[in-house]
Amino acid sequence: MDTILVVDDSPTIRRMVRAALGSLGGVAFAEAGTGLRAIEVLGMEPVQVVVLDLNMPDMHGLDVIRFLRSHDRYRDLPVIVLTTRGDESSRQAALAAGASEYLTKPFGPGALLSSVRELLDARVSRGR
């Protein structure tokens, strides 16, 4: 079973993401309200996709992405940034740090679902 880690300091957004992705079927969800907690969760259980906010109280999402990309174990882990920051410089910074996708809030559930589905399918086609 695939696990999706939803990282956002807002419990409401985490619930909305789970609801948007609920139709995937055969997936489990892990949650973290901070960047540091996300790293802890990743160390404890296998995760196939991360949905990550940028603006969090303890560790900025870009720092989380940089941490992931600096470790072989997480180098290829798909990360979808889901943030209120709609400016082009934030988008470029996230993609340069290693984000797989960049979506803005408020988000369309269909766009998030499509992105996650594509990333999971690509992982399966690579044999992971």
Side-chain angles (χ1 to χ4, degrees), residues 87-126:
D87 60 288
E88 186 60 22
S89 62
S90 294
R91 180 182 172 282
Q92 289 299 323
L95 294 173
S100 308
E101 299 279 342
Y102 192 93
L103 302 173
T104 56
K105 300 173 192 172
F107 66 95
L112 179 60
L113 180 63
S114 176
S115 290
V116 170
R117 188 173 281 138
E118 285 176 23
L119 291 169
L120 288 173
D121 288 347
R123 182 188 56 82
V124 169
S125 69
R126 287 190 315 262

Side-chain angles (χ1 to χ4, degrees), residues 72-93:
D72 289 339
R73 180 177 179 186
Y74 308 116
R75 186 158 288 138
D76 297 323
L77 178 64
V79 177
I80 298 172
V81 170
L82 182 62
T83 183
T84 57
R85 300 186 67 144
D87 60 288
E88 186 60 22
S89 62
S90 294
R91 180 182 172 282
Q92 289 299 323

Side-chain angles (χ1 to χ4, degrees), residues 2-28:
D2 290 326
T3 299
I4 299 167
L5 174 58
V6 182
V7 187
D8 198 297
D9 57 329
S10 167
T12 301
I13 295 294
R14 293 194 308 263
R15 280 192 302 275
M16 290 172 65
V17 169
R18 283 193 331 265
L21 300 177
S23 67
L24 283 172
V27 298

Side-chain angles (χ1 to χ4, degrees), residues 52-89:
L52 175 70
D53 188 16
L54 290 182
N55 301 314
M56 290 182 289
D58 68 346
M59 185 177 190
H60 195 274
L62 288 178
D63 294 324
V64 174
I65 296 169
R66 288 183 191 112
F67 171 86
L68 296 175
R69 297 308 179 232
S70 71
H71 290 79
D72 289 339
R73 180 177 179 186
Y74 308 116
R75 186 158 288 138
D76 297 323
L77 178 64
V79 177
I80 298 172
V81 170
L82 182 62
T83 183
T84 57
R85 300 186 67 144
D87 60 288
E88 186 60 22
S89 62

